[in-house]
Amino acid sequence: MSGQATEDLLIVGAGGFARETAQAVRDAAAADLACGRAPRWRLAGHLDDNPALHGRDVDGVPVLGDCDLVHRLPATARVVVCAGSPRDYGVRARLVRRLALPESRYATVVHPTAAVSASSELGPGTVLLAHCVLTAAVRVGAHVAVMPHTVLTHDDTVGDFATLASGVRLGGGVWLGRGAYVGAGALVREYTTVGAWSLTGMGSTVLADVPPGEVWAGSPARRLREAGAPALDELRADEARADEARADEARAESKETGHRPETRMGSTAG
């Protein structure tokens, strides 16, 4: 047996997406073994806040305890957060903030049948399930969920915490905002922007930019309503953090230039 060292992997969540990720890890281990390599990951178990699951097996993988147990388990174990649904697609971001783990703790899980070009990049905590394709220069952020048979084409950018359900197709140069949810089978026209924390309904054809925090559906897709409260809460929190960052930059610039007011405005002494 040669190659990489095997690391323990904890999956936060025990629902559908978490179980699919566990299966992807099993499939990747089988592919590694078939090639004479040590498996990349060893499934250590699920962590889930539902006490009814604690001590049980889910598809043969034990549920060890609640999500905060991650802080009492060995720090060498890597982690992937697998939670979220169209009803609450902000939960993954909330869990990542709650756990407050360093970026280095998060694993990136790629099913062995996924095709990821050498020019594409995947962020920590991201999961690619079976038969996904990333063609050329695709940028996928952190904690992104990419479901089976999704195709991301040249120069697409996918923000942190986004979810792409099964069979999604993005044309070239699409910008998918932070936390956006794109429903199963949706098609997104090239060079379109899909706003942060928006939701695009399953089977939709997106031909125009989707604003942040809105629900769009249909063919062509049109606005239905505002996104749900959890998504809007995340959008407002992101905007508040951005405002604070701009204020910090302005304060830093003011501090840097405040000792030399004459440089820009001339001396007022006299």
Side-chain angles (χ1 to χ4, degrees), residues 4 28 36 43 77 84 92 97 106 110 141 155 182 210 226 239 258:
Q4 61 205 359
L43 277 174
R92 202 153 60 249
R97 283 198 304 274
Y106 286 106
V110 179
D155 304 304
V182 183
V210 176
E226 276 193 332
E239 291 171 344

Tab-separated table of all heavy atoms in Angstrom, residues 4 28 36 43 77 84 92 97 106 110 141 155 182 210 226 239 258:
chain	number	residue	atom	x	y	z
A	4	GLN	N	-0.728	8.432	0.074
A	4	GLN	CA	-1.125	9.346	1.133
A	4	GLN	C	-1.432	8.634	2.446
A	4	GLN	O	-1.768	7.453	2.466
A	4	GLN	CB	-2.375	10.110	0.671
A	4	GLN	CG	-3.562	9.191	0.398
A	4	GLN	CD	-4.552	9.759	-0.584
A	4	GLN	OE1	-4.390	10.856	-1.063
A	4	GLN	NE2	-5.583	8.994	-0.909
A	28	ALA	N	-14.696	6.637	-2.592
A	28	ALA	CA	-13.326	7.101	-2.799
A	28	ALA	C	-12.326	6.129	-2.183
A	28	ALA	O	-11.264	5.856	-2.763
A	28	ALA	CB	-13.155	8.493	-2.198
A	36	GLY	N	-4.223	0.520	-5.290
A	36	GLY	CA	-3.077	0.229	-4.449
A	36	GLY	C	-2.650	1.369	-3.559
A	36	GLY	O	-1.514	1.371	-3.052
A	43	LEU	N	-13.844	6.987	7.797
A	43	LEU	CA	-15.047	7.549	8.402
A	43	LEU	C	-15.045	7.296	9.909
A	43	LEU	O	-15.175	6.162	10.360
A	43	LEU	CB	-16.297	6.937	7.778
A	43	LEU	CG	-16.779	7.540	6.457
A	43	LEU	CD1	-17.940	6.717	5.910
A	43	LEU	CD2	-17.194	8.983	6.645
A	77	ALA	N	-8.581	14.805	13.632
A	77	ALA	CA	-9.680	14.416	12.752
A	77	ALA	C	-10.111	15.602	11.903
A	77	ALA	O	-10.287	16.710	12.402
A	77	ALA	CB	-10.857	13.893	13.563
A	84	GLY	N	-28.360	21.197	5.403
A	84	GLY	CA	-29.029	22.207	4.589
A	84	GLY	C	-30.098	21.607	3.702
A	84	GLY	O	-30.053	20.423	3.345
A	92	ARG	N	-25.754	25.575	7.128
A	92	ARG	CA	-24.335	25.213	7.031
A	92	ARG	C	-23.448	26.363	7.496
A	92	ARG	O	-22.470	26.153	8.227
A	92	ARG	CB	-24.004	24.809	5.594
A	92	ARG	CG	-22.786	23.946	5.460
A	92	ARG	CD	-22.829	23.056	4.234
A	92	ARG	NE	-22.928	23.765	2.983
A	92	ARG	CZ	-24.009	23.762	2.185
A	92	ARG	NH1	-25.085	23.096	2.511
A	92	ARG	NH2	-24.016	24.436	1.059
A	97	ARG	N	-19.906	28.756	11.757
A	97	ARG	CA	-19.611	29.824	12.718
A	97	ARG	C	-19.628	29.284	14.150
A	97	ARG	O	-18.779	29.635	14.969
A	97	ARG	CB	-20.628	30.957	12.583
A	97	ARG	CG	-20.406	31.855	11.396
A	97	ARG	CD	-21.146	33.174	11.557
A	97	ARG	NE	-22.573	32.995	11.772
A	97	ARG	CZ	-23.471	32.862	10.790
A	97	ARG	NH1	-23.079	32.858	9.532
A	97	ARG	NH2	-24.755	32.730	11.071
A	106	TYR	N	-10.900	21.532	8.015
A	106	TYR	CA	-11.953	21.115	7.099
A	106	TYR	C	-11.406	20.324	5.916
A	106	TYR	O	-10.412	20.698	5.304
A	106	TYR	CB	-12.745	22.325	6.610
A	106	TYR	CG	-13.662	22.854	7.678
A	106	TYR	CD1	-13.378	24.039	8.350
A	106	TYR	CD2	-14.793	22.156	8.049
A	106	TYR	CE1	-14.213	24.517	9.354
A	106	TYR	CE2	-15.639	22.617	9.049
A	106	TYR	CZ	-15.343	23.792	9.692
A	106	TYR	OH	-16.166	24.244	10.691
A	110	VAL	N	-14.289	14.713	-2.628
A	110	VAL	CA	-14.594	14.634	-4.060
A	110	VAL	C	-14.854	13.174	-4.418
A	110	VAL	O	-13.988	12.307	-4.210
A	110	VAL	CB	-13.436	15.195	-4.909
A	110	VAL	CG1	-13.756	15.078	-6.399
A	110	VAL	CG2	-13.148	16.653	-4.540
A	141	GLY	N	-15.885	27.996	-3.776
A	141	GLY	CA	-15.477	28.473	-2.466
A	141	GLY	C	-15.529	27.402	-1.398
A	141	GLY	O	-15.508	26.195	-1.670
A	155	ASP	N	-14.712	29.275	-16.204
A	155	ASP	CA	-14.690	30.567	-15.511
A	155	ASP	C	-15.865	30.804	-14.571
A	155	ASP	O	-16.106	31.940	-14.148
A	155	ASP	CB	-14.594	31.726	-16.517
A	155	ASP	CG	-13.396	31.583	-17.431
A	155	ASP	OD1	-12.272	31.476	-16.913
A	155	ASP	OD2	-13.580	31.538	-18.669
A	182	VAL	N	-29.313	26.647	-5.769
A	182	VAL	CA	-29.803	26.441	-7.132
A	182	VAL	C	-30.448	25.064	-7.177
A	182	VAL	O	-29.798	24.042	-6.944
A	182	VAL	CB	-28.665	26.549	-8.160
A	182	VAL	CG1	-29.227	26.408	-9.578
A	182	VAL	CG2	-27.936	27.882	-8.020
A	210	VAL	N	-30.193	37.292	-10.961
A	210	VAL	CA	-31.085	37.088	-9.816
A	210	VAL	C	-30.561	37.925	-8.649
A	210	VAL	O	-29.418	37.741	-8.226
A	210	VAL	CB	-31.140	35.597	-9.410
A	210	VAL	CG1	-31.993	35.406	-8.161
A	210	VAL	CG2	-31.661	34.747	-10.564
A	226	GLU	N	-39.547	37.177	-1.638
A	226	GLU	CA	-38.308	37.213	-0.874
A	226	GLU	C	-37.941	35.805	-0.406
A	226	GLU	O	-38.802	34.947	-0.243
A	226	GLU	CB	-38.458	38.094	0.376
A	226	GLU	CG	-38.241	39.563	0.135
A	226	GLU	CD	-38.086	40.311	1.452
A	226	GLU	OE1	-38.636	39.864	2.477
A	226	GLU	OE2	-37.402	41.354	1.438
A	239	GLU	N	-23.970	41.610	5.004
A	239	GLU	CA	-23.914	43.039	4.689
A	239	GLU	C	-23.359	43.830	5.857
A	239	GLU	O	-22.568	44.772	5.677
A	239	GLU	CB	-25.304	43.539	4.299
A	239	GLU	CG	-25.778	42.983	2.953
A	239	GLU	CD	-27.237	43.299	2.681
A	239	GLU	OE1	-27.962	43.670	3.652
A	239	GLU	OE2	-27.672	43.155	1.514
A	258	GLY	N	-3.756	60.903	9.251
A	258	GLY	CA	-4.143	61.962	10.191
A	258	GLY	C	-2.987	62.737	10.774
A	258	GLY	O	-3.165	63.867	11.253
